[in-house]
Structure formats: C-alpha cells, structure tokens
Amino acid sequence: MILTVTLNTALDLTYRVRSLRPHTSHRVTEVIERPGGKGVNVARVLAALGHETTVTGFVGGATGRAIRDRLSGTPGLTDALVPVAGATRRTIAIVDELSGDTTQLNEPGPQIAPTEWGAFLDRYEELVPGASAVALCGSLPPGVPVGAYANLVRAARAHGVFVLLDTSGEPLRRGVAARPDLIKPNADELAELTGSHEPLRATQDARRRGAHAVVASLGADGLLAATPQGRWRAAPPARIHGNPTGAGDSAVAGLLSGLVERLPWPERLARAVALSAATVRAPAAGEFDPAEYEELRGRVVVAGVVSAA
C-alpha cells in the first residue's frame, strides 16, 4: 500500500470557455468536478496504474463530502481522511479553448484546530507502518504547524518507510532538514530553497541540505534528477499544451510507482514525464488517457548529465 497525505485537500473545478477575456462575461462550455489536492491527485493516478493506495489528510463541509463521495467509487483507493469542522477549499481552473492556456484560482484551506491536528497524527501513526511508501504533498492549511512535514518525514523514516516530500517555502525548507528520501520541487521552489537558479547546481545543493534524492520539475522541459545512483534529464518528445493542473502530481505518482516496482531511475523518470504530459493533455485536472500515456512513454528522452562543478 502507498500512503498519500493531503493536508489541504480541494474540490477541483475545471471551467472551459471559448476565450478568456478580463472585464467581460463568459459562457462556460463545460464544467468538470473532481476530488483534488496534490496527494489526492497522486493517489488517483496510482490507483489507475494498479497500485493499492490510501489517502489521508483533512476534509470538511459540503466540499469535503463531495470529495469523499467521488473517491468512494475509485477501485484500489482507500479513504482514510480525517473530518474537520471547517469547509474544504475549492480550486478553479479556467481553460481558454482558443489559446490553450489555463488560469488557476486557489481558495485558502480551512482553519485546523489543535485537536484536529492531533487526530490526524494518530491516524498517520496507524497507517505508516503498513505503507511501502509515503507521499507528503501540497500546502499546509491554517492552523497546521509550519514544521509539520518535518515531523511526518521523521515518523516515516522511524518506521523504515520511503518518504517523498512535495511542498514549497518554509515547510519544504524544514522538511528537507528531516532528510526525506526524495523531494520533487519545481524550478521556482528549488531556487527559493537553495538560492540557485541553475537547476543542476540547485539539485545538488538540496541534497547537501538533507534530501537523499531530488527530482526537479522544469515545466515543459521535463524533469531533472540528482540521485546517489546518477543524474538524468528526462524530456517529453514535444511541447505539450493543455491544462497543467495535476501534472506534477502525476509525475509524483510515476516516481512512486516506479520505486515500488523497483524500476531503474531512467525508467521511473520516463514514466513520470509521460504521465505528466498525458495529464496536461487531459480535459480534467489530475486525469490521463492510458493509451496516450503509453504512446508518450515510448518517446520520452532520458539522458545522463555531467555533475556541476
């Protein structure tokens, strides 16, 4: 079982419009509603790949109930979410059909009370020993300590469980110091962590700060990995246009599935890039077409890179 943690779950809404223009009214041509938040997206992709997955984190209010209702019908996915008094947030992606661009609107999460945080920690300690890997994903809702991920990383490592961290800012900085097995920042998050805007140098610096391995998302240019086994770049066969919501989460799912299947790093990276690209092309956030994924996977370019001085 792979455990994914989403402390700031969301109900993802995708609106499609012919052309998005400020200061005007728009007729929405399609509305798609899906359970979301980074770890929830990761779990849905893992389940689609055939991996038994458990999701935990917080849910509350009508949006929280909607998330649980939609997760309940997902084969291979177990709901271990913790209820809270506040309402789960929504995220809104507005897709401009003419340009292919997407505008993202993210609501804040609910205020988490100390007792609710304690209930989550109890649930986490129950689940971690039975996991083959843990993914800690996304932002922290109000009320959750900024060092939360660092504590969750240490708890997973205490049980000998592989732990991946995908967050940003101060939670990432503190989490890296707890020595996670893998972090997956994007280029901006990596630069904020290390102070370096040269990706290869920054990945190596992130490893010196505590991360065992680093896979950095370079957007349309794919992924850059710095690991104890080597360094690689993996890129899609061509620039992919569409809705990027959930693409990074699909990459995380590719990396975790490759880990538990014991694939070598180049194959993990090819899977992650292909899943990410297929997710960008999909009409709804955090989904992918299996046939398109397989076609893209065979065309991903993975190459070793020389270490920065």
Side-chain angles (χ1 to χ4, degrees):
M1 178 269 286
I2 300 175
L3 175 64
T4 72
V5 174
T6 313
L7 297 177
N8 212 4
T9 54
L11 187 65
D12 287 341
L13 302 174
T14 302
Y15 295 154
R16 302 185 71 88
V17 299
R18 176 61 180 165
S19 177
L20 181 62
R21 293 172 294 151
H23 315 302
T24 63
S25 297
H26 295 79
R27 185 174 297 278
V28 176
T29 60
E30 183 181 24
V31 180
I32 303 174
E33 190 174 274
R34 294 289 185 272
K38 294 178 74 64
V40 171
N41 289 335
V42 172
R44 289 168 52 220
V45 175
L46 284 168
L49 293 171
H51 290 275
E52 292 294 323
T53 308
T54 296
V55 294
T56 190
F58 297 115
V59 288
T63 48
R65 289 192 296 273
I67 288 172
R68 302 192 92 159
D69 288 345
R70 285 159 176 76
L71 290 177
S72 65
T74 306
L77 193 150
T78 299
D79 173 358
L81 293 161
V82 176
V84 296
T88 296
R89 66 190 178 127
R90 297 167 297 177
T91 66
I92 300 171
I94 306 172
V95 179
D96 184 320
E97 295 176 339
L98 194 61
S99 69
D101 293 333
T102 300
T103 299
Q104 190 77 21
L105 304 174
N106 296 328
E107 296 180 355
Q111 180 75 32
I112 304 300
T115 54
E116 293 167 339
W117 176 238
F120 167 79
L121 291 176
D122 290 343
R123 180 69 55 85
Y124 184 75
E125 286 288 351
E126 292 171 2
L127 293 168
V128 166
S132 57
V134 173
L136 307 173
C137 303
S139 61
L140 301 179
V144 172
V146 71
Y149 281 138
N151 292 332
L152 299 181
V153 167
R154 293 187 188 100
R157 288 180 57 82
H159 289 284
V161 177
F162 181 98
V163 58
L164 181 152
L165 178 60
D166 183 13
T167 188
S168 60
E170 186 66 11
L172 174 60
R173 189 185 69 80
R174 296 197 187 194
V176 165
R179 306 187 67 81
D181 294 284
L182 175 62
I183 64 171
K184 197 214 70 65
N186 62 33
D188 290 339
E189 293 162 351
L190 185 61
E192 182 182 6
L193 173 67
T194 65
S196 174
H197 291 271
E198 199 292 303
L200 183 56
R201 189 179 303 278
T203 57
Q204 295 179 180
D205 182 64
R207 292 194 62 211
R208 286 191 290 269
R209 290 169 183 258
H212 189 65
V214 180
V215 175
S217 174
L218 306 179
D221 294 327
L223 299 175
L224 171 64
T227 81
Q229 290 75 40
R231 299 170 180 83
W232 296 271
R233 285 185 186 267
R239 182 170 289 272
I240 307 297
H241 296 282
N243 181 3
T245 306
D249 307 328
S250 291
V252 168
L255 295 170
L256 284 175
S257 62
L259 165 79
V260 299
E261 293 173 28
R262 302 183 183 277
L263 298 180
W265 269 106
E267 291 184 37
R268 295 185 210 178
L269 294 168
R271 174 179 291 185
V273 168
L275 281 169
S276 180
T279 299
V280 171
R281 286 184 175 175
E287 297 193 349
F288 70 96
D289 178 85
E292 187 162 37
Y293 154 62
E294 290 293 346
E295 189 272 333
L296 286 165
R297 186 180 178 187
R299 297 195 293 130
V300 172
V301 177
V302 183
V305 297
V306 177
S307 173

